[in-house]
Amino acid sequence: MYDFKPDAALPAADLYRELLGAAEALTAGEPDCVANMANVAALLWEFLPDLNWAGFYRVAPAKTGGADELVLGPFVGRPACIRIPFGIGVCGAAAQSRATQLVADVHAFPGHIACDAASQSELVVPVLRDGAVIAVIDLDSPSPARFTADDAAGIEALAAMLASRI
Ligand code: SME
């Protein structure tokens, strides 16, 4: 049994240090990327308060060939849209720009894709391997402006650690 005891009252830097350590331990030595993404999605859900969706989109071939797109990966939350082209929505913007998207109000984000009407704010961090985006980590919250620069830094550290494990 894995029994992590996140303390949401911790300062963000400490909470994210614990999250990173738990994710490192859970994925160490495991080559299956689906298993690793699934466990990390569960950790994100357990460690971070006030979320309504936490998980991954992977870069994968389009069904019809052509440019790669984002395809739904392991997550916790309500069923979500399956395929997102680069450049579309918050996830597509993160994939195309290879830069973190910290969105205080999703309704003000051009092209935002509403998978869950409850979502008010969103944080999407690209996972880069050798400079290329291989996935994004997506967090949604039902609260406006839920995510801060501390959250972005914490998830970016997680993404860097996962780059060779997913
Ligand atoms: N809101 C995202 C779509 C994915 S869901 O939030 C799970 C977007 O605009 O890309």
Side-chain angles (χ1 to χ4, degrees), residues 55-91:
F56 292 83
Y57 280 87
R58 299 166 299 121
V59 175
K63 279 197 281 192
T64 52
D68 282 352
E69 56 192 5
L70 293 172
V71 181
L72 185 63
F75 68 94
V76 182
R78 300 188 75 182
C81 52
I82 300 169
R83 290 176 179 269
I84 301 176
F86 275 45
I88 304 295
V90 186
C91 292

Side-chain angles (χ1 to χ4, degrees), residues 89 113 115 120 134:
I113 302 164
C115 293
Q120 300 295 328
I134 59 166

Side-chain angles (χ1 to χ4, degrees), residues 59-155:
V59 175
K63 279 197 281 192
T64 52
D68 282 352
E69 56 192 5
L70 293 172
V71 181
L72 185 63
F75 68 94
V76 182
R78 300 188 75 182
C81 52
I82 300 169
R83 290 176 179 269
I84 301 176
F86 275 45
I88 304 295
V90 186
C91 292
Q96 187 166 65
S97 64
R98 287 179 290 160
T100 294
Q101 304 292 308
L102 181 52
V103 181
D105 175 6
V106 295
H107 305 295
F109 190 94
H112 165 252
I113 302 164
C115 293
D116 181 343
S119 296
Q120 300 295 328
S121 57
E122 186 161 0
L123 173 64
V124 183
V125 173
V127 181
L128 304 176
R129 189 191 295 154
D130 300 327
V133 61
I134 59 166
V136 301
I137 300 173
D138 182 14
L139 302 178
D140 284 36
S141 173
S143 298
R146 153 70 180 80
F147 303 105
T148 66
D150 287 340
D151 295 297
I155 299 298

